[in-house]
Amino acid sequence: MDHKKMGEDIVRLVGGEENINGLVHCATRLRFDLKDSRKAEREALEKHEGIITVVESGGQFQVVIGSHVAYVYAEIMKNRDFGSNSPASESSGKKTSVISTIFEVISGSFSPLIPAMAGSGMIKALLTVLTLLGWMSATSDTYLILSAAGNAVFYFLPILLGITLGIKLKANPYVAGVIGAALMEPNFTGLMDKGADVSFLGIPVVMMNYSASVFPIFISISIYALVDKFLKKIILKDLQLFLVPMLALMIMVPLSAMAFGPFGTGVGDWISSGVTWLIGVSGILSGIVLGGFMTFMVVFGLHWGFTPITIQNIGVGGDPIEAMAAAAVFAQIGVAFGIFLKARKDKTLRTLAGSTSITGLLAGVTEPIVYGLVLRYKRVIPIVIIAGALGGAINGHFGVKMTAYVFHNIFAIPVYTPTLVYVIAIACSFAAATALTLIFGYESKVKGEAPETVESVKTAEPEPVATATKAVDIKKETIYSPITGRITPLSQVNDSAFSTGAMGKGLAIEPSVGEVVAPIDGVVTSLFPTGHAIGLTSNAGTEILIHIGINTVALKGKHFNPVVKEGDSVKQGDLLIQFDREQIIEAGYEIVTPVIVTLTKHKVDVFETNQEQTQKNEVLLTLVV
């Protein structure tokens, strides 16, 4: 693979250098901070050889390309300096929710450290194996030197996180690193011997050990970023070089020692204790949730919320969250291996499934499986959930913990304790996923041709884009447009649940009028309390979802006015929901509305209109047996 050409192509397709504010990478994906994500040619990127998929999450435009991402990143960054990701809300002018911003900051801060943390964790796993086999003594000089290599990134995590947080929050990263370093400097740590007699300007200071801590430095550097901006506003530019960092350190280090450090430690301990309590209440239930659904938390970027808690737990003896979540990884690998065994006639698919299985087992990198197989073949989604829940429940019930930060692969097994239970759990997840995939198969993308009896939908003859599953008598069914506006392919919707086809096939509409009407004759089968989404079932048994806007559930019903309720019978063209599109846009939300066929009772082809604009009650989709 020509990494240089691929890198140049990606830069061009995301809108060129002028559209890039920042770029970092993790284990499998390039994470762009784009000025305007609408300039990116998403469809062309997804069709590019070597690119698995494109995901927009947490304010980042992410191009998933697999384990060779570092080589492509290096080629892109030659003779360029995009810096690192900055908050999307600042760079693009778009408003993002507080939760999205928090996840984005956590993601952007930990992403650069993941390789160092994973590599260090594997060193600790290797040392565990060597000492168990009696090949190395835990008191030998060699062991202690290698142990230093494995422990350093975690011990000095406040310093490293200070740097990455400073970059993320657009403050001086090295001053931020010094704030973390000050909490570990010998003069400071030596004060712990004085017990409760430590004070600063007569104010008592609660001394703590901040090595391997996460929450204190997150709070301190978040405040420092504000202090840094304030000082730069009030201090003459000629004096800023030394005066801003001097005053910032004089302010932040004492405040961190007196307030932010103890408070952050308390928050971390409270969260960790709360998680431990929940797991203690029902380890099985916790394992089912984490093992069954971690795959989809990763898709939406929600897994970053667990990272600070995981690091905190490892620092005090072990983390149960990642141990339970590891079952999801081996469930994904099992699905890939099952597809490899079953897809004997499809050499391309077999190669993809086989290679991603090996990458998952040996490196713990499974995003190519998630985006290349799981979200592509919807039939395996419940298999991943069931198999992951099985292993997660076993680990949760027996209290398995991860004692070092690692990717979940076969070489990392020694860092989990009790090890035998963990092996049984991941083996069950892998075996169950493989067996279920072999038994029930996977859902192929059918590319049939339109029958001669199909009427042309509005303009030129459309291509079939999907096949739905299951078993009522549909010869042909027409889905009419519920909204007036501009038509957009689902692949361009800024939500991977829709853009990947995981929810079903259809189109999206950017409304020009704030009304939703019934696209079919049928029944309202679901209506979200917030009024932002509605599900209907046609008289022929087809289930349709209309989702007004992206992430608009956060509006909690504001600006939405449903005029029907669940169970109501409706005729095509009946008014369903009124909404204030201008107010929703002003609140910072995208108004694009996916219209999705989620299920039919026959195996059908779905044909899309070729129109770029649609009026309500015009033909949008045609379903043909």
Side-chain angles (χ1 to χ4, degrees), residues 5 36 51 66 142 232 284 309 318 327 354 367 378 397 532:
K5 183 179 185 304
D36 186 353
I51 295 177
T142 301
K232 286 178 179 177
I284 293 177
I309 305 171
E367 284 171 308
K378 294 182 290 182
H397 178 68
H532 76 289

Short mmCIF file of all heavy atoms in Angstrom, two decimals, residues 5 36 51 66 142 232 284 309 318 327 354 367 378 397 532:
data_model
loop_
_atom_site.label_atom_id
_atom_site.label_comp_id
_atom_site.label_asym_id
_atom_site.label_seq_id
_atom_site.Cartn_x
_atom_site.Cartn_y
_atom_site.Cartn_z
N LYS A 5 0.55 8.26 -1.02
CA LYS A 5 -0.58 8.61 -1.90
C LYS A 5 -1.89 8.57 -1.13
O LYS A 5 -2.75 9.44 -1.31
CB LYS A 5 -0.64 7.63 -3.07
CG LYS A 5 -1.75 7.98 -4.08
CD LYS A 5 -1.78 7.02 -5.23
CE LYS A 5 -2.82 7.44 -6.27
NZ LYS A 5 -4.17 7.60 -5.69
N ASP A 36 -14.95 22.77 8.56
CA ASP A 36 -16.31 22.53 8.06
C ASP A 36 -16.39 21.10 7.54
O ASP A 36 -15.88 20.80 6.45
CB ASP A 36 -16.66 23.52 6.95
CG ASP A 36 -18.11 23.42 6.49
OD1 ASP A 36 -18.81 22.49 6.96
OD2 ASP A 36 -18.54 24.26 5.69
N ILE A 51 -9.53 2.36 3.13
CA ILE A 51 -10.32 3.03 4.17
C ILE A 51 -11.51 2.15 4.52
O ILE A 51 -12.26 1.72 3.65
CB ILE A 51 -10.80 4.42 3.70
CG1 ILE A 51 -9.61 5.34 3.48
CG2 ILE A 51 -11.77 5.03 4.71
CD1 ILE A 51 -9.97 6.71 2.96
N GLY A 66 -7.33 1.25 9.92
CA GLY A 66 -6.70 0.02 10.39
C GLY A 66 -5.36 0.24 11.04
O GLY A 66 -4.95 1.35 11.36
N THR A 142 17.63 -6.58 36.04
CA THR A 142 16.96 -6.60 34.73
C THR A 142 15.46 -6.38 34.90
O THR A 142 14.84 -5.59 34.17
CB THR A 142 17.21 -7.93 34.01
OG1 THR A 142 18.61 -8.11 33.84
CG2 THR A 142 16.52 -7.95 32.66
N LYS A 232 -3.13 36.43 29.50
CA LYS A 232 -2.70 36.96 28.20
C LYS A 232 -3.50 38.19 27.79
O LYS A 232 -3.03 39.01 27.00
CB LYS A 232 -2.83 35.87 27.14
CG LYS A 232 -1.75 34.79 27.25
CD LYS A 232 -1.95 33.70 26.21
CE LYS A 232 -0.86 32.65 26.33
NZ LYS A 232 -1.05 31.52 25.38
N ILE A 284 -23.11 -9.82 37.54
CA ILE A 284 -23.63 -10.45 36.31
C ILE A 284 -24.30 -9.41 35.42
O ILE A 284 -24.03 -9.33 34.21
CB ILE A 284 -24.61 -11.58 36.65
CG1 ILE A 284 -23.85 -12.74 37.33
CG2 ILE A 284 -25.32 -12.07 35.40
CD1 ILE A 284 -24.74 -13.87 37.77
N ILE A 309 -11.76 6.49 34.80
CA ILE A 309 -12.13 5.59 35.90
C ILE A 309 -11.24 4.35 35.86
O ILE A 309 -10.79 3.85 36.91
CB ILE A 309 -13.62 5.21 35.80
CG1 ILE A 309 -14.49 6.46 35.75
CG2 ILE A 309 -14.02 4.33 36.98
CD1 ILE A 309 -15.94 6.17 35.44
N GLY A 318 -6.70 -2.63 40.56
CA GLY A 318 -7.28 -3.34 39.42
C GLY A 318 -8.62 -2.79 39.00
O GLY A 318 -9.36 -2.24 39.82
N ALA A 327 -14.75 -8.86 27.00
CA ALA A 327 -15.56 -9.90 26.37
C ALA A 327 -16.13 -9.44 25.04
O ALA A 327 -16.29 -10.23 24.10
CB ALA A 327 -16.70 -10.31 27.32
N GLY A 354 -10.63 -12.89 7.80
CA GLY A 354 -9.46 -13.59 8.33
C GLY A 354 -8.40 -12.66 8.85
O GLY A 354 -7.85 -12.85 9.95
N GLU A 367 -11.47 -2.42 15.52
CA GLU A 367 -12.30 -1.47 14.80
C GLU A 367 -12.54 -1.87 13.34
O GLU A 367 -13.62 -1.65 12.81
CB GLU A 367 -11.68 -0.07 14.90
CG GLU A 367 -11.92 0.54 16.28
CD GLU A 367 -11.15 1.83 16.49
OE1 GLU A 367 -9.93 1.82 16.27
OE2 GLU A 367 -11.78 2.82 16.88
N LYS A 378 -25.95 -6.63 9.45
CA LYS A 378 -26.74 -6.37 10.65
C LYS A 378 -27.12 -7.63 11.40
O LYS A 378 -27.39 -7.59 12.60
CB LYS A 378 -27.99 -5.58 10.28
CG LYS A 378 -27.69 -4.17 9.77
CD LYS A 378 -28.96 -3.43 9.46
CE LYS A 378 -29.64 -4.00 8.23
NZ LYS A 378 -30.86 -3.25 7.86
N HIS A 397 -19.31 -11.64 37.44
CA HIS A 397 -19.72 -12.48 38.58
C HIS A 397 -18.52 -12.88 39.44
O HIS A 397 -18.61 -12.90 40.68
CB HIS A 397 -20.43 -13.72 38.07
CG HIS A 397 -20.85 -14.67 39.17
ND1 HIS A 397 -21.84 -14.34 40.08
CD2 HIS A 397 -20.40 -15.91 39.50
CE1 HIS A 397 -21.99 -15.35 40.94
NE2 HIS A 397 -21.13 -16.31 40.60
N HIS A 532 -39.05 13.98 19.14
CA HIS A 532 -38.08 14.17 18.05
C HIS A 532 -38.03 12.99 17.10
O HIS A 532 -37.37 13.08 16.05
CB HIS A 532 -36.68 14.40 18.64
CG HIS A 532 -36.02 13.16 19.14
ND1 HIS A 532 -36.44 12.50 20.28
CD2 HIS A 532 -35.00 12.42 18.64
CE1 HIS A 532 -35.69 11.44 20.46
NE2 HIS A 532 -34.82 11.36 19.48
#
